[in-house]
Amino acid sequence: MQTIDVVINLSYEVCLAHYEGRIAQVYTYSLDGRRVVFPAEALRHVMTHDGVYGTYRLKFSEQGRFISIHPITIG
């Protein structure tokens, strides 16, 4: 299983577009500079009233399929 750490900074309004299905994919960059794409529906698990802000660990299968997202603390 592969993990990738990313920083996500999305306002509530942008998250709502993802949540409602108007946007299907999230595009971001990993902490080491790789471009990362994952399903927008994953944001449902980490969205707050303010949006999604912070550093998150994404898990992918060996085949590259998204598995999970979890907040992490850097420091």
Side-chain angles (χ1 to χ4, degrees), residues 21-43:
R22 292 183 278 142
I23 301 173
Q25 303 274 338
V26 176
Y27 296 86
T28 189
Y29 287 92
S30 68
L31 296 180
D32 62 5
R34 293 178 283 169
R35 187 167 187 219
V36 180
V37 180
F38 64 96
E41 67 186 37
L43 295 177

Side-chain angles (χ1 to χ4, degrees), residues 11-22:
S11 69
Y12 177 79
E13 292 77 18
V14 172
C15 287
L16 193 57
H18 287 84
Y19 187 82
E20 292 174 341
R22 292 183 278 142

Side-chain angles (χ1 to χ4, degrees), residues 5-7 31 53-57 70-75:
D5 296 341
V6 298
V7 175
L31 296 180
Y53 295 94
T55 305
Y56 296 84
R57 179 158 293 145
H70 299 283
I72 60 171
T73 303
I74 303 289

Side-chain angles (χ1 to χ4, degrees), residues 43-55:
L43 295 177
R44 293 178 183 176
H45 304 289
V46 294
M47 191 168 104
T48 68
H49 294 294
D50 296 324
V52 177
Y53 295 94
T55 305

